[in-house]
Amino acid sequence: RKEVEQDPGPFNVPEGATVAFNCTYSNSASQSFFWYRQDCRKEPKLLMSVYSSGNEDGRFTAQLNRASQYISLLIRDSKLSDSATYLCVVSGEYGNKLVFGAGTILRVKS
Amino acid sequence: NAGVTQTPKFQVLKTGQSMTLQCAQDMNHNSMYWYRQDPGMGLRLIYYSASEGTTDKGEVPNGYNVSRLNKREFSLRLESAAPSQTSVYFCASKTSGGAIEQFFGPGTRLTVL
């Protein structure tokens, strides 16, 4: 079983749609959680951290459920520029290493 | 402020050849990492260096060696390249003190024939 599992997609959605991604992780000792974004043939970049209480950054909302060990990302009012691969990322127990999911592909169409 | 830089951007090797991938960061970060990314697999940690003078194995270290030359530079060496090492290699760095953002270089696309 992979440490971090994501639905690979692709999710094909029209502009303006709301789309949600989920991710599950296996290490209950994980302390920190993130969503990274990776554009085609580019390096990953941090999109947002995920906090236990849930957090929002503009059109993006992240949620963490420690009991069920899953993380979600909600994107509202999708833009063409949101098309990318979204990586769910979880830290190890001591925080120095990150474990990456394989990513979920989002394609936003006009 | 260039962030994390990697050279080369592309490389084609024949089986058995050796090469070194270079990585440098100008953010005064203590920790540096080497990952490989393969389709459907996500990024997998090869080696990391928590601070200058230390290196540790990650998830997939076999066939690789690393050198933390100084605080800025962290190189990855393939001594005898194999087709299974065809991948995209990313270097990353972060400051110390817990799990906060890692900054990635642009990657090296390596093909081993």
Side-chain angles (χ1 to χ4, degrees), chain B residues 1-54:
Chain B
N1 191 345
V4 181
T5 57
Q6 291 184 236
T7 56
K9 284 187 168 50
F10 301 93
Q11 184 70 49
V12 178
L13 293 178
K14 294 181 180 177
T15 297
Q17 287 185 316
S18 63
M19 78 161 295
T20 300
L21 280 63
Q22 306 287 354
C23 173
Q25 51 90 11
D26 62 2
M27 296 175 283
N28 201 35
H29 286 168
N30 288 317
S31 302
M32 296 186 74
Y33 305 81
W34 276 107
Y35 294 91
R36 60 177 289 173
Q37 186 174 34
D38 303 293
M41 298 290 290
L43 281 89
R44 291 183 291 168
L45 183 63
I46 305 171
Y47 271 93
Y48 69 103
S49 171
S51 61
E52 188 178 353
T54 68

Side-chain angles (χ1 to χ4, degrees), chain A residues 2 32 34 36 38 40-46 87 91 94-103, chain B residues 10 31 33 35 37 40-43 45 48 50 57 90 94 98-102 104-106 109:
Chain A
K2 292 181 183 177
S32 301
F34 309 91
Y36 273 68
Q38 186 173 24
C40 188
R41 300 180 75 79
K42 298 287 190 182
E43 71 272 23
K45 293 183 180 178
L46 179 67
L87 307 175
S91 77
Y94 301 108
N96 202 32
K97 292 190 283 187
L98 298 179
V99 181
F100 288 77
Chain B
F10 301 93
S31 302
Y33 305 81
Y35 294 91
Q37 186 174 34
M41 298 290 290
L43 281 89
L45 183 63
Y48 69 103
K57 294 178 181 179
F90 288 102
K94 78 171 188 73
I100 56 178
E101 182 179 3
Q102 289 189 14
F104 284 81
R109 282 174 169 71

